[in-house]
Amino acid sequence: MSSTSSAARGALPRYARKLAATTALTALMAFGAAAPAVFAQTSPAAESTASRPWMNTALSASERTALVLKEMTLPEKLTLLFGYFSTDNQWQKTPVKNYVYPEKGLPFSAGFVPGIDRLGIPAQWQTDAGVGVATQTSPTPRQRTALPSGIATAASWNPKNAFAGGAMIGNEAWMSGFNVQLAGGMNLMRDARNGRNFEYGGEDPLLAGVITGNAMKGIQSNNIITTMKHFAFNGQETNRFTIDHKISDQAARQSDLLAFQIAYEIGDPGSIMCAYNRVNGFYACESNYLLNEVLKQDWGYKGYVMSDWGATHSTIPAANQGLDQQSGWAFDRSNYFEGALREAVNNGYVSQARVDDMAGRVLWAMFDNGLFDNVVKGDQADKIDYAAHAKVTQTGAEEGIVLLKNTGVLPLAKTAKSIVVIGAHADVGVLSGGGSSQVYPIGLSPVKDEFGKGFPGPKTWYPSSPMKGIQARTKANVTYLDGKDLNAAAAAAASADIAIVFAEQWTGESIDAPDLNLPDNQDALIAAVAKANPKTVVVLETGGPVVMPWVDNVAAVLEAWYPGTSGGEAIARVLTGEVNPSGHLPATFPASLDQTPRPILEGDVKLDNDSHPHSDYNIDGAAVGYKWFDKRGAKPLFAFGHGLSYTTFQLSGLSAQASGKSLTASFTIKNTGKLAGAEVGQVYISPVGDAGWEAPKRLAGFEKIMLKPGKSGKATITVDPRLLATFDSASKTWNIKAGDYKVILATSATEPLSEVIVHLDAQTLNVKGQ
Ligand code: BGC
């Protein structure tokens, strides 16, 4: 794996390494140190609204913000604009100068912003991230429920599932004493090797926007602020602190920014985290274009922008170009938003009005999301309903598992006498993705860290065993082999009725996968097993797409992603048919890297002798993922939207009506098989003439319908007009070109079933698509 240099990670050596953690644990035991106390806070709601009129819940968040803001001194306003990393320096391998652990922070968490007791403004306790309540590297991690990875949730194509998962992890965060969750990973998959693809929602602006938007909405149903991130174009981890992504405004608005815009409109996140990278020459956290123009002016965003941990690079440019809160001190080179910001305000380089705007945005998000009215009560994790939450994550995993290939070997035959399970520690657990989003399971990892190099490790498995799940559901004799000895694996496969190879690709923040092959000789393992037994099933636990040189020789392939803390059970239920798979790919699986826009990961090389690495996102522009494949006529290994079932469906009755800015499409799905199951009807639009689109077609809507055998369900989708338009940068309008458009009903980007033609009149919409 190619890794970003640790020096480039900023002043603070990010996370305690394995050694440091061990040393720290010994120190903790030796000195009997207690974990830093969680500070209980008197409920400001108890204060009289006469002395604190902003506590009047009958007023709007904007009115309440204005009332409290006018009581605040400049130092108080600045207090809200400066956040601390919240992991004690003593745990760091190399303690960092100037870093003072915030006493009121929650231990081993991402961040803390002090409150102001005088005015009853609560502190902000920040936790990562998208699959649950994370813990920074620690000898005593919090043990919580983890959802399947973000990409797995996107693979469910089910907004309700995304909301339910968000609501569950938001509850755990609040019960753990947090009121800001750094969740809402929303970067489009522009590179299948991106080490953080597992945290995001795939390659399509509509699907990723709808899924992440609903996940954020779920989180924020808990009196918690959620944080859409990483704004924007944080498309790879290699050189993430310096890389400059070049992209035109039009391509940006029709791709990654559209995904963010849709997610923002649905999820209404109180905060948005600007990214590490540069965009068109400017750091994302001091990009006037991204923060002031697109986000605040064009979209009308009222919440605040926080920096990623170590992504602030200045005081005056950052504040004036739209950054509201510096996060995670001391990851940055300097505490830009502390004394220096005060001086800049006193000297007039940053206006008083701008500081009011910055503090006002933080306060508005806090009022709007209930942080004043339902103050977190500290750690009440003992009251979390883990049994109920295990069901939520299990359902999420089951909805997101994608059956990629099946020649009939699945569901596992009840008559099988012997099944050999091989590899990926499937005897004891399932894999999770690494980095700041790491959630530790109840009971901790059943497997010792195999990465051994600190962040983004430890490589962590969740104690939910697929093998035990299979054993409990079949009469077969189920045995396990670790798969390290290929000959032994092949011999065991030859003498078993069915062989199931579990293959894994561990990915994590800060490192990209070097290529799309499964690591550690697993391709050879699968090939050897498949040669020995034609009834070989492959279960993948990967961060994103991988290539499958053995695919023609195996009987079935199941993509289980990182399936979360009930993932083993979910996989077993799908393999045995207790659950009918219904996931569909949220990203194209390329046949090879050569098919992708940047076969060489840019940023690994310094192009044009530039002083910092850059990558050209104008190569694909808005034609991300399947759009790129369509445009180039390239045949992927598995297409965007693909996913099989154990039953059969008939999709029919497609009709479409256009009127003004609105286009609706209806269709019917019938379960024509013998098992209950869910199918995702996908509607793509393709201009008949040249409408100036980036690619031949776009996903315009989808609906997942659960059906009993013989039953039918009808879906009507309304197409977002931005998905019919192109963006004009000069006038800042979305424009639909008059003409005929194909409305295509499909089960994947390459499996069209029927089409109708509609005529659209020319339309001009404003920058919000209205
Ligand atoms: C990550 C963010 C995360 C933050 C706090 C950064 O390294 O990029 O996603 O929220 O750390 O842990």
Side-chain angles (χ1 to χ4, degrees):
M1 294 210 165
S2 65
S3 126
T4 45
S5 87
S6 57
R9 299 189 56 99
L12 183 63
R14 184 58 226 261
Y15 296 85
R17 308 261 152 78
K18 192 178 163 204
L19 174 66
T22 319
T23 317
L25 177 58
T26 317
L28 183 77
M29 293 187 308
F31 298 110
V38 176
F39 273 68
Q41 185 138 352
T42 343
S43 166
E47 301 285 341
S48 112
T49 53
S51 61
R52 290 181 176 170
W54 53 88
M55 292 310 297
N56 180 355
T57 53
L59 300 176
S60 71
S62 303
E63 289 165 332
R64 297 173 74 181
T65 299
L67 285 169
V68 69
L69 202 55
K70 71 177 191 226
E71 297 300 323
M72 291 171 76
T73 63
L74 178 61
E76 285 172 340
K77 289 172 191 165
L78 293 176
T79 301
L80 300 184
L81 310 182
F82 188 73
Y84 299 81
F85 185 45
S86 189
T87 295
D88 200 325
N89 216 7
Q90 68 169 303
W91 309 102
Q92 303 297 331
K93 195 171 178 188
T94 322
V96 167
K97 275 195 227 155
N98 301 328
Y99 172 65
V100 181
Y101 172 70
E103 286 299 322
K104 294 188 183 180
L106 288 172
F108 310 112
S109 66
F112 174 73
V113 181
I116 299 162
D117 288 346
R118 181 180 84 82
L119 302 169
I121 299 174
Q124 295 159 58
W125 287 278
Q126 304 164 322
T127 182
D128 286 300
V131 298
V133 182
T135 304
Q136 309 291 329
T137 306
S138 150
T140 52
R142 286 174 191 82
Q143 300 180 22
R144 298 290 185 271
T145 311
L147 287 171
S149 56
I151 194 168
T153 300
S156 76
W157 291 62
N158 183 351
K160 289 197 185 100
N161 170 50
F163 179 92
M168 183 273 279
I169 62 169
N171 170 271
E172 291 204 5
W174 199 87
M175 299 291 275
S176 305
F178 295 103
N179 54 12
V180 179
Q181 190 152 14
L182 308 172
M186 196 35 281
N187 297 91
L188 281 195
M189 187 189 292
R190 280 184 180 266
D191 198 304
R193 289 160 294 190
N194 180 0
R196 297 187 86 172
N197 280 336
F198 75 93
E199 294 189 55
Y200 305 140
E203 69 190 22
D204 181 73
L206 177 68
L207 179 64
V210 166
I211 294 296
T212 309
N214 277 282
M216 294 192 296
K217 203 168 167 184
I219 291 171
Q220 287 199 160
S221 63
N222 291 283
N223 300 300
I224 281 195
I225 289 174
T226 196
T227 309
M228 186 166 70
K229 67 188 187 183
H230 307 88
F231 195 69
F233 301 100
N234 193 169
Q236 66 181 56
E237 292 298 283
T238 305
N239 285 327
R240 66 174 170 161
F241 298 110
T242 47
I243 192 156
D244 182 12
H245 296 296
K246 308 278 189 198
I247 186 155
S248 75
D249 176 56
Q250 184 190 41
R253 303 257 190 177
Q254 292 176 196
S255 58
D256 297 53
L257 295 184
L258 180 57
F260 275 108
Q261 194 176 6
I262 292 171
Y264 152 65
E265 289 160 357
I266 296 171
D268 192 20
S271 66
I272 292 181
M273 185 189 290
C274 48
Y276 285 127
N277 52 280
R278 294 167 161 105
V279 178
N280 295 329
F282 296 92
Y283 281 115
C285 290
E286 49 189 61
S287 164
N288 185 60
Y289 164 69
L290 285 177
L291 308 184
N292 281 340
E293 189 183 329
V294 172
L295 192 59
K296 294 179 179 176
Q297 180 193 309
D298 296 346
W299 300 353
Y301 175 62
K302 287 166 84 176
Y304 62 102
V305 176
M306 66 161 78
S307 59
D308 200 344
W309 274 226
T312 307
H313 298 275
S314 66
T315 302
I316 299 165
N320 288 337
Q321 312 305 339
L323 177 64
D324 300 305
Q325 188 183 67
Q326 177 179 3
S327 309
W329 171 250
F331 283 107
D332 294 303
R333 297 235 167 99
S334 192
N335 42 348
Y336 299 107
F337 276 25
E338 245 187 345
L341 182 55
R342 187 172 175 170
E343 208 174 309
V345 176
N346 287 335
N347 294 339
Y349 291 111
V350 174
S351 70
Q352 185 65 57
R354 172 66 185 125
V355 171
D356 285 354
D357 176 49
M358 294 160 88
R361 285 172 175 278
V362 176
L363 290 164
W364 179 86
M366 292 173 76
F367 280 120
D368 194 47
N369 289 291
L371 273 65
F372 277 82
D373 308 323
N374 293 287
V375 177
V376 271
K377 297 196 179 80
D379 194 347
Q380 312 181 79
D382 55 336
K383 299 199 188 105
I384 292 173
D385 188 348
Y386 292 110
H389 291 185
K391 291 267 175 278
V392 175
T393 180
Q394 184 179 316
T395 306
E398 289 164 1
E399 283 223 31
I401 290 174
V402 185
L403 180 61
L404 292 172
K405 172 177 176 174
N406 187 17
T407 55
V409 70
L410 294 180
L412 293 174
K414 301 253 181 304
T415 50
K417 290 202 179 66
S418 57
I419 297 174
V420 59
V421 170
I422 303 167
H425 301 289
D427 54 336
V428 290
V430 288
L431 190 59
S432 63
S436 60
S437 67
Q438 183 72 60
V439 174
Y440 293 84
I442 293 159
L444 299 178
S445 178
V447 184
K448 232 171 118 245
D449 175 28
E450 288 176 352
F451 182 57
K453 290 187 238 161
F455 191 81
K459 187 173 174 187
T460 301
W461 284 259
Y462 293 153
S464 173
S465 157
M467 181 193 174
K468 285 192 191 135
I470 296 166
Q471 216 153 32
R473 291 174 174 83
T474 67
K475 293 196 185 90
N477 175 33
V478 185
T479 50
Y480 176 77
L481 277 182
D482 67 15
K484 289 195 179 110
D485 179 340
L486 266 53
N487 293 329
S495 59
D497 287 343
I498 294 168
I500 309 178
V501 185
F502 283 75
E504 59 169 44
Q505 176 211 39
W506 183 66
T507 57
E509 177 182 342
S510 82
I511 43 181
D512 291 320
D515 52 43
L516 297 183
N517 284 90
L518 288 167
D520 304 329
N521 218 24
Q522 293 176 96
D523 283 332
L525 168 69
I526 298 169
V529 170
K531 199 165 169 202
N533 188 335
K535 284 191 184 163
T536 292
V537 176
V538 177
V539 178
L540 296 166
E541 292 170 32
T542 68
V546 287
V547 291
M548 305 175 202
W550 32 261
V551 72
D552 292 338
N553 304 322
V554 300
V557 185
L558 202 66
E559 175 57 87
W561 317 104
Y562 304 142
T565 39
S566 300
E569 196 73 357
I571 292 171
R573 274 161 58 87
V574 171
L575 286 171
T576 55
E578 209 169 291
V579 165
N580 195 347
S582 64
H584 287 250
L585 291 181
T588 307
F589 275 42
S592 76
L593 268 178
D594 294 340
Q595 293 181 319
T596 67
R598 282 166 293 278
I600 295 174
L601 200 61
E602 291 184 351
D604 259 350
V605 280
K606 288 191 175 169
L607 302 171
D608 311 327
N609 294 322
D610 206 347
S611 59
H612 53 260
H614 66 254
S615 94
D616 187 0
Y617 277 0
N618 286 314
I619 294 174
D620 38 346
V624 180
Y626 64 91
K627 295 171 183 163
W628 173 260
F629 278 71
D630 274 358
K631 194 172 152 175
R632 309 272 294 197
K635 191 172 177 298
L637 174 60
F638 290 108
F640 172 83
H642 173 72
L644 304 172
S645 168
Y646 297 149
T647 188
T648 50
F649 299 99
Q650 187 186 57
L651 286 81
S652 61
L654 175 66
S655 71
Q657 294 80 36
S659 124
K661 292 169 189 166
S662 156
L663 171 63
T664 56
S666 305
F667 56 87
T668 300
I669 304 182
K670 182 172 185 193
N671 184 343
T672 49
K674 293 196 178 71
L675 286 171
E679 176 61 307
V680 178
Q682 303 163 35
V683 172
Y684 295 85
I685 311 277
S686 174
V688 173
D690 179 11
W693 288 20
E694 67 282 353
K697 69 173 184 286
R698 297 172 176 166
L699 179 71
F702 57 89
E703 178 99 20
K704 188 175 197 176
I705 308 182
M706 180 74 199
L707 293 164
K708 296 212 167 99
K711 295 285 176 207
S712 300
K714 188 173 174 185
T716 299
I717 57 147
T718 302
V719 179
D720 185 319
R722 288 168 293 192
L723 296 168
L724 304 169
T726 53
F727 188 78
D728 177 56
S729 302
S731 61
K732 287 203 183 196
T733 53
W734 292 92
N735 296 283
I736 300 175
K737 197 169 172 197
D740 287 344
Y741 290 76
K742 283 186 217 163
V743 178
I744 304 161
L745 178 61
T747 49
S748 85
T750 59
E751 291 159 286
L753 299 170
S754 56
E755 65 180 54
V756 293
I757 301 222
V758 287
H759 182 84
L760 299 181
D761 294 333
Q763 299 283 342
T764 296
L765 308 140
N766 68 18
V767 69
K768 290 184 180 161
Q770 292 159 356

mmCIF file of all heavy atoms in Angstrom, residues 218-236:
data_model
loop_
_atom_site.group_PDB
_atom_site.id
_atom_site.type_symbol
_atom_site.label_atom_id
_atom_site.label_comp_id
_atom_site.label_asym_id
_atom_site.label_seq_id
_atom_site.Cartn_x
_atom_site.Cartn_y
_atom_site.Cartn_z
ATOM 1 N N GLY A 218 -31.122 10.743 10.027
ATOM 2 C CA GLY A 218 -31.295 9.801 11.133
ATOM 3 C C GLY A 218 -30.439 10.199 12.326
ATOM 4 O O GLY A 218 -30.910 10.233 13.468
ATOM 5 N N ILE A 219 -29.197 10.538 12.078
ATOM 6 C CA ILE A 219 -28.305 10.927 13.177
ATOM 7 C C ILE A 219 -28.874 12.146 13.888
ATOM 8 O O ILE A 219 -28.978 12.201 15.116
ATOM 9 C CB ILE A 219 -26.884 11.212 12.638
ATOM 10 C CG1 ILE A 219 -26.229 9.925 12.163
ATOM 11 C CG2 ILE A 219 -26.011 11.876 13.719
ATOM 12 C CD1 ILE A 219 -24.920 10.105 11.415
ATOM 13 N N GLN A 220 -29.281 13.135 13.094
ATOM 14 C CA GLN A 220 -29.745 14.391 13.688
ATOM 15 C C GLN A 220 -31.119 14.269 14.357
ATOM 16 O O GLN A 220 -31.582 15.226 14.964
ATOM 17 C CB GLN A 220 -29.734 15.511 12.646
ATOM 18 C CG GLN A 220 -28.320 15.975 12.329
ATOM 19 C CD GLN A 220 -28.205 17.342 11.666
ATOM 20 O OE1 GLN A 220 -27.150 17.934 11.711
ATOM 21 N NE2 GLN A 220 -29.249 17.849 11.068
ATOM 22 N N SER A 221 -31.744 13.092 14.285
ATOM 23 C CA SER A 221 -32.999 12.916 15.011
ATOM 24 C C SER A 221 -32.736 12.694 16.506
ATOM 25 O O SER A 221 -33.643 12.392 17.263
ATOM 26 C CB SER A 221 -33.793 11.739 14.420
ATOM 27 O OG SER A 221 -33.089 10.529 14.582
ATOM 28 N N ASN A 222 -31.493 12.865 16.927
ATOM 29 C CA ASN A 222 -31.089 12.584 18.317
ATOM 30 C C ASN A 222 -30.565 13.797 19.080
ATOM 31 O O ASN A 222 -29.786 13.638 20.008
ATOM 32 C CB ASN A 222 -29.966 11.545 18.307
ATOM 33 C CG ASN A 222 -30.438 10.175 17.877
ATOM 34 O OD1 ASN A 222 -31.061 9.467 18.654
ATOM 35 N ND2 ASN A 222 -30.156 9.801 16.651
ATOM 36 N N ASN A 223 -30.937 15.008 18.693
ATOM 37 C CA ASN A 223 -30.369 16.200 19.337
ATOM 38 C C ASN A 223 -28.852 16.233 19.186
ATOM 39 O O ASN A 223 -28.112 16.521 20.120
ATOM 40 C CB ASN A 223 -30.741 16.264 20.826
ATOM 41 C CG ASN A 223 -32.237 16.304 21.009
ATOM 42 O OD1 ASN A 223 -32.897 17.220 20.516
ATOM 43 N ND2 ASN A 223 -32.782 15.308 21.688
ATOM 44 N N ILE A 224 -28.440 15.901 17.986
ATOM 45 C CA ILE A 224 -27.021 15.846 17.650
ATOM 46 C C ILE A 224 -26.814 16.586 16.337
ATOM 47 O O ILE A 224 -27.678 16.539 15.457
ATOM 48 C CB ILE A 224 -26.588 14.366 17.506
ATOM 49 C CG1 ILE A 224 -26.388 13.752 18.878
ATOM 50 C CG2 ILE A 224 -25.365 14.212 16.658
ATOM 51 C CD1 ILE A 224 -25.639 12.453 18.853
ATOM 52 N N ILE A 225 -25.679 17.251 16.222
ATOM 53 C CA ILE A 225 -25.303 17.852 14.937
ATOM 54 C C ILE A 225 -24.524 16.809 14.156
ATOM 55 O O ILE A 225 -23.638 16.155 14.708
ATOM 56 C CB ILE A 225 -24.407 19.091 15.172
ATOM 57 C CG1 ILE A 225 -25.227 20.237 15.771
ATOM 58 C CG2 ILE A 225 -23.717 19.516 13.884
ATOM 59 C CD1 ILE A 225 -24.388 21.444 16.168
ATOM 60 N N THR A 226 -24.853 16.664 12.881
ATOM 61 C CA THR A 226 -24.028 15.798 12.065
ATOM 62 C C THR A 226 -23.186 16.632 11.099
ATOM 63 O O THR A 226 -23.450 17.809 10.897
ATOM 64 C CB THR A 226 -24.873 14.737 11.320
ATOM 65 O OG1 THR A 226 -24.019 13.709 10.849
ATOM 66 C CG2 THR A 226 -25.598 15.324 10.146
ATOM 67 N N THR A 227 -22.170 16.011 10.526
ATOM 68 C CA THR A 227 -21.145 16.752 9.789
ATOM 69 C C THR A 227 -20.908 16.141 8.424
ATOM 70 O O THR A 227 -20.205 15.145 8.309
ATOM 71 C CB THR A 227 -19.810 16.701 10.586
ATOM 72 O OG1 THR A 227 -20.067 17.094 11.919
ATOM 73 C CG2 THR A 227 -18.768 17.608 9.984
ATOM 74 N N MET A 228 -21.487 16.740 7.413
ATOM 75 C CA MET A 228 -21.233 16.208 6.070
ATOM 76 C C MET A 228 -19.773 16.494 5.684
ATOM 77 O O MET A 228 -19.272 17.585 5.928
ATOM 78 C CB MET A 228 -22.182 16.887 5.086
ATOM 79 C CG MET A 228 -22.108 16.319 3.692
ATOM 80 S SD MET A 228 -23.504 16.836 2.677
ATOM 81 C CE MET A 228 -23.178 18.567 2.420
ATOM 82 N N LYS A 229 -19.114 15.485 5.089
ATOM 83 C CA LYS A 229 -17.689 15.652 4.802
ATOM 84 C C LYS A 229 -17.279 14.783 3.620
ATOM 85 O O LYS A 229 -18.048 13.920 3.210
ATOM 86 C CB LYS A 229 -16.875 15.277 6.044
ATOM 87 C CG LYS A 229 -16.933 13.782 6.435
ATOM 88 C CD LYS A 229 -16.273 13.559 7.778
ATOM 89 C CE LYS A 229 -16.169 12.099 8.115
ATOM 90 N NZ LYS A 229 -15.597 11.859 9.454
ATOM 91 N N HIS A 230 -16.126 14.927 3.046
ATOM 92 C CA HIS A 230 -15.118 15.969 3.252
ATOM 93 C C HIS A 230 -15.251 16.884 2.058
ATOM 94 O O HIS A 230 -14.973 16.452 0.934
ATOM 95 C CB HIS A 230 -13.716 15.366 3.326
ATOM 96 C CG HIS A 230 -13.612 14.265 4.342
ATOM 97 N ND1 HIS A 230 -13.884 12.946 4.046
ATOM 98 C CD2 HIS A 230 -13.304 14.291 5.659
ATOM 99 C CE1 HIS A 230 -13.728 12.214 5.139
ATOM 100 N NE2 HIS A 230 -13.378 13.003 6.143
ATOM 101 N N PHE A 231 -15.649 18.097 2.304
ATOM 102 C CA PHE A 231 -16.060 19.053 1.287
ATOM 103 C C PHE A 231 -14.838 19.754 0.700
ATOM 104 O O PHE A 231 -14.238 20.565 1.381
ATOM 105 C CB PHE A 231 -17.016 20.058 1.927
ATOM 106 C CG PHE A 231 -17.792 20.879 0.936
ATOM 107 C CD1 PHE A 231 -18.772 20.300 0.140
ATOM 108 C CD2 PHE A 231 -17.553 22.234 0.806
ATOM 109 C CE1 PHE A 231 -19.500 21.060 -0.765
ATOM 110 C CE2 PHE A 231 -18.284 22.998 -0.094
ATOM 111 C CZ PHE A 231 -19.253 22.398 -0.880
ATOM 112 N N ALA A 232 -14.454 19.516 -0.440
ATOM 113 C CA ALA A 232 -14.967 18.596 -1.451
ATOM 114 C C ALA A 232 -13.788 18.002 -2.229
ATOM 115 O O ALA A 232 -12.678 18.473 -2.103
ATOM 116 C CB ALA A 232 -15.891 19.348 -2.408
ATOM 117 N N PHE A 233 -14.113 16.984 -3.025
ATOM 118 C CA PHE A 233 -13.158 16.327 -3.920
ATOM 119 C C PHE A 233 -12.014 15.627 -3.189
ATOM 120 O O PHE A 233 -10.919 15.529 -3.713
ATOM 121 C CB PHE A 233 -12.620 17.316 -4.976
ATOM 122 C CG PHE A 233 -13.717 17.892 -5.808
ATOM 123 C CD1 PHE A 233 -14.217 19.153 -5.546
ATOM 124 C CD2 PHE A 233 -14.296 17.134 -6.810
ATOM 125 C CE1 PHE A 233 -15.272 19.660 -6.282
ATOM 126 C CE2 PHE A 233 -15.361 17.639 -7.547
ATOM 127 C CZ PHE A 233 -15.845 18.913 -7.280
ATOM 128 N N ASN A 234 -12.291 15.149 -1.978
ATOM 129 C CA ASN A 234 -11.293 14.366 -1.249
ATOM 130 C C ASN A 234 -11.332 12.930 -1.804
ATOM 131 O O ASN A 234 -11.730 11.997 -1.138
ATOM 132 C CB ASN A 234 -11.672 14.388 0.240
ATOM 133 C CG ASN A 234 -10.578 13.901 1.163
ATOM 134 O OD1 ASN A 234 -10.687 14.064 2.372
ATOM 135 N ND2 ASN A 234 -9.540 13.299 0.639
ATOM 136 N N GLY A 235 -10.899 12.805 -3.055
ATOM 137 C CA GLY A 235 -11.135 11.571 -3.795
ATOM 138 C C GLY A 235 -10.085 10.496 -3.647
ATOM 139 O O GLY A 235 -10.211 9.423 -4.203
ATOM 140 N N GLN A 236 -9.013 10.788 -2.961
ATOM 141 C CA GLN A 236 -7.978 9.776 -2.730
ATOM 142 C C GLN A 236 -7.231 10.137 -1.454
ATOM 143 O O GLN A 236 -7.290 11.269 -0.986
ATOM 144 C CB GLN A 236 -7.009 9.723 -3.914
ATOM 145 C CG GLN A 236 -6.180 10.999 -4.089
ATOM 146 C CD GLN A 236 -5.248 10.927 -5.292
ATOM 147 O OE1 GLN A 236 -5.708 10.697 -6.409
ATOM 148 N NE2 GLN A 236 -3.961 11.115 -5.069
#
